[in-house]
């Protein structure tokens, strides 16, 4: 097992009717900015509940944070906070709103050009405003981690930053808040959470036994509930299981003491930045291709995955691996998520630009062995067409 240092200070308040707990979770004299996305939080009543939960506190609102939040929009929130002297942020939404809020929290008192936060991947962040979240879309794990992904429209850059200073103080996870999600977003959540686990599990063995079994438990749960969460929006138990599984998939627990990959995500981010494809959908296309191209380096874990997740015990090693990769693809497709880039309108002619962006962002040695060079990324993209 590898060495690790695990610290997660985010308090999770889970369950139906928990938004009213805001009154005890937000400091009494806080001057609050609620940040949200488009109209979903207003339409499904969450914003009204949040306002009621905040009682007599001074409350301002900033809406319009888009999916794949942009630096340009977020800097407007920064200006509002500075103008009004606000001191506590509350994100109400999915990963985009929460990620955006993390950036805003770090940018408000940032001494230089805030885009440096992204270019330094968070290394230059030394403080941030405190914030909490009310999660409405189970997918990213942003509600209980220190990562954030922000895009700059001007340059089509989609970069990640991470900092101990941007763990949410608390996150409210009320599964009933997910009932209004369009089904494609629910499917995205399942695929994103599944891929998060795979990035931290499907590398090479280090005898991290409980980590492997945590990861496998999350994967098995996603496979088990995938159809249920899609079938009936108000199936509380299915939505509750998805919500907690997605949080646990990327809160630092399963990665402690094991190697991590993340090449699928880094390639996927470029596809979103260039072509606007939903985050999870880029992963659905890249992950199976990535496993296929790197099957030798990942052989031992692929065999374990085949047996423990898909119950594949017959056939040669290569056959078992092949069936496991196909099963992954079939699972994503069963949720209505296409797994071929051509189904998103891309062809071989689009690959050069993706490779150029990976190079521009320093993504030239990805993966658990840092051997996913631009040439390997090209092979993966070709296999994903
Ligand atoms: O904007 P509104 O109107 O709120 O609509 C949103 C949005 O259009 C809608 N939605 C959210 N909750 C809803 C709802 N609609 C109806 N009912 C509800 N309860 O869903 C749409 C997508 O929302 P978004 O927040 O963009 O989705 P998601 O949670 O999948 O977040 C994706 C972003 O997170 C980043 C991705 O790159 C992407 O930018 N990621 C963040 C990570 C992290 N911080 O750790 C890790 C991930 O790998 C990922 O990269
Ligand atoms: Zn993701």
């Amino acid at each position: 097992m590898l060495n690790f240092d695990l610290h997660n200070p985010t308090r999770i308040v889970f369950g139906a009717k928990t938004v009213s707990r805001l009154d005890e979770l937000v400091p009494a004299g806080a001057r609050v900015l609620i940040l949200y996305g488009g109209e979903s939080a207003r339409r499904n009543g969450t914003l009204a509940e949040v306002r009621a939960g905040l009682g007599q506190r001074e409350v301002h609102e900033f809406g319009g944070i888009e999916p794949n939040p942009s630096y340009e929009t977020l800097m407007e929130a920064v200006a509002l906070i500075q103008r009004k002297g606000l001191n506590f942020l509350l994100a109400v939404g999915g990963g985009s709103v929460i990620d955006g809020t993390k950036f805003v929290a770090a940018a408000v008192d940032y001494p230089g050009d805030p885009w440096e936060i992204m270019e330094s991947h968070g290394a230059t962040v030394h403080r941030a405003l405190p914030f909490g979240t009310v999660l409405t879309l189970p997918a990213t794990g942003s509600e209980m981690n220190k990562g954030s992904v922000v895009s700059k429209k001007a340059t089509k850059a989609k970069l990640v930053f991470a900092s101990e200073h941007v763990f949410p103080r608390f996150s409210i996870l009320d599964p009933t808040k997910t009932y209004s999600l369009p089904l494609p977003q629910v499917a995205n959540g399942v695929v994103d959470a599944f891929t998060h686990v795979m990035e931290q599990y499907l590398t090479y063995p280090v005898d991290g036994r409980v980590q492997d079994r945590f990861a496998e438990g999350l994967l098995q749960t996603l496979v088990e509930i995938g159809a249920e969460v899609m079938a009936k929006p108000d199936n509380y138990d299915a939505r509750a299981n998805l919500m907690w599984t997605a949080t646990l998939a990327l809160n630092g627990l399963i990665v402690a003491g094991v190697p991590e990959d993340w090449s699928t995500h880094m390639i996927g981010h470029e596809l979103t930045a260039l072509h606007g494809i939903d985050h999870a959908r880029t992963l659905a296309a890249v992950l199976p291709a990535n496993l296929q191209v790197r099957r030798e380096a990942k052989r031992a874990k692929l065999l374990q995955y085949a047996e423990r997740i898909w119950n594949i015990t017959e056939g040669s090693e290569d056959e078992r691996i092949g069936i496991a990769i196909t099963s992954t693809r079939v699972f994503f497709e069963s949720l209505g998520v296409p797994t071929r880039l051509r189904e998103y309108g891309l062809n071989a002619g689009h690959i050069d630009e993706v490779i150029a962006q990976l190079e521009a962002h320093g993504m030239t040695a990805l993966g658990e062995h840092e051997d996913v060079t631009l040439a390997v990324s090209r092979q993966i993209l070709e296999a994903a067409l």
Side-chain angles (χ1 to χ4, degrees):
M1 199 189 296
L2 310 181
N3 293 1
F4 64 89
D5 175 344
L6 175 63
H7 173 71
N8 192 317
T10 301
R11 175 172 179 176
I12 298 293
V13 176
F14 191 100
K17 300 196 171 66
T18 45
V19 174
S20 59
R21 296 274 304 274
L22 279 172
D23 196 29
E24 72 190 79
L25 294 167
V26 176
R31 309 183 67 214
V32 183
L33 182 66
I34 301 174
L35 299 102
Y36 61 97
E39 283 303 302
S40 79
R42 190 184 307 281
R43 238 183 275 127
N44 67 16
T46 309
L47 265 189
E49 264 183 71
V50 165
R51 271 197 159 269
L54 289 169
Q56 297 308 309
R57 293 172 183 81
E58 178 180 341
V59 175
H60 299 260
E61 287 183 8
F62 182 86
I65 297 179
E66 56 279 80
N68 310 304
S70 77
Y71 169 78
E72 288 85 348
T73 301
L74 299 173
M75 288 308 292
E76 291 175 30
V78 170
L80 176 65
I81 294 161
Q82 290 167 338
R83 224 168 35 241
K84 303 274 185 192
L86 307 179
N87 58 17
F88 196 92
L89 309 182
L90 187 59
V92 180
S96 293
V97 172
I98 300 175
D99 282 7
T101 300
K102 289 175 177 176
F103 177 81
V104 169
V108 166
D109 287 326
Y110 191 77
D113 169 5
W115 186 247
E116 272 173 25
I117 294 170
M118 304 310 304
E119 287 181 330
S120 73
H121 302 296
T124 56
V125 175
H126 300 296
R127 53 176 305 197
L129 278 187
F131 67 96
T133 89
V134 175
L135 181 67
T136 64
L137 197 176
T140 65
S142 189
E143 65 278 7
M144 198 181 178
N145 71 34
K146 59 180 176 178
S148 161
V149 191
V150 172
S151 303
K152 197 174 200 176
K153 286 187 207 158
T155 54
K156 294 197 170 177
K158 181 168 181 162
L159 302 182
V160 181
F161 92 96
S163 165
E164 297 292 325
H165 301 285
V166 298
F167 274 109
R169 295 291 164 103
F170 64 83
S171 284
I172 294 180
L173 275 55
D174 176 347
T176 68
K177 296 294 161 217
T178 73
Y179 291 175
S180 59
L181 278 168
L183 283 182
Q185 293 297 345
V186 179
N188 283 355
V190 175
V191 171
D192 195 19
F194 193 95
T195 308
H196 292 159
V197 181
M198 292 292 273
E199 299 267 33
Q200 304 163 92
Y201 164 73
L202 223 145
T203 56
Y204 57 89
V206 293
D207 206 14
R209 298 191 196 193
V210 76
Q211 292 92 327
D212 279 3
R213 288 197 158 91
F214 280 151
E216 287 155 359
L218 298 174
L219 294 173
Q220 285 167 331
T221 304
L222 290 167
V223 171
E224 199 171 282
I225 63 176
E228 292 172 36
V229 292
M230 297 295 287
K232 200 165 158 280
D234 60 352
N235 180 340
Y236 181 84
D237 289 324
R239 291 296 172 99
N241 277 292
L242 174 58
M243 208 167 209
W244 188 222
T245 303
T247 301
L248 289 168
L250 193 50
N251 72 348
L253 176 68
I254 65 170
V255 78
V258 301
E260 47 193 324
D261 182 340
W262 297 111
S263 58
T264 293
H265 268 72
M266 294 308 125
I267 297 170
H269 286 170
E270 303 300 353
L271 292 168
T272 299
L274 287 171
H275 301 289
I277 305 168
D278 286 356
H279 171 63
R281 286 163 195 255
T282 67
L283 308 177
V286 175
L287 179 68
N290 198 344
L291 297 177
Q292 181 61 36
V293 167
R294 293 161 67 213
R295 57 193 279 160
E296 279 317 313
K298 290 179 177 289
R299 174 172 284 270
K301 274 317 227 352
L302 277 167
L303 287 166
Q304 184 176 325
Y305 169 67
E307 180 174 346
R308 295 198 190 171
I309 305 303
W310 300 109
N311 305 315
I312 303 162
T313 51
E314 314 252 297
S316 69
E317 287 192 359
D318 280 326
E319 283 165 353
R320 281 180 269 154
I321 289 172
I323 299 169
I325 295 172
T326 304
S327 301
T328 311
R329 204 181 273 291
V330 169
F331 175 55
F332 293 165
E333 285 169 1
S334 75
L335 303 165
V337 178
T339 63
R340 294 285 178 188
L341 288 178
R342 61 174 179 264
E343 295 170 274
Y344 299 100
L346 302 193
N347 57 47
H350 292 99
I351 292 180
D352 280 348
E353 197 182 7
V354 181
I355 297 295
Q357 288 292 76
L358 283 168
E359 185 168 25
H361 301 141
M363 303 293 163
T364 55
L366 300 172
E368 63 272 25
H369 296 295
E370 299 185 354
D371 59 355
V372 181
T373 58
L374 294 177
V376 177
S377 288
R378 182 181 290 282
Q379 274 180 286
I380 293 169
L381 286 160
E382 283 166 356
L385 282 174

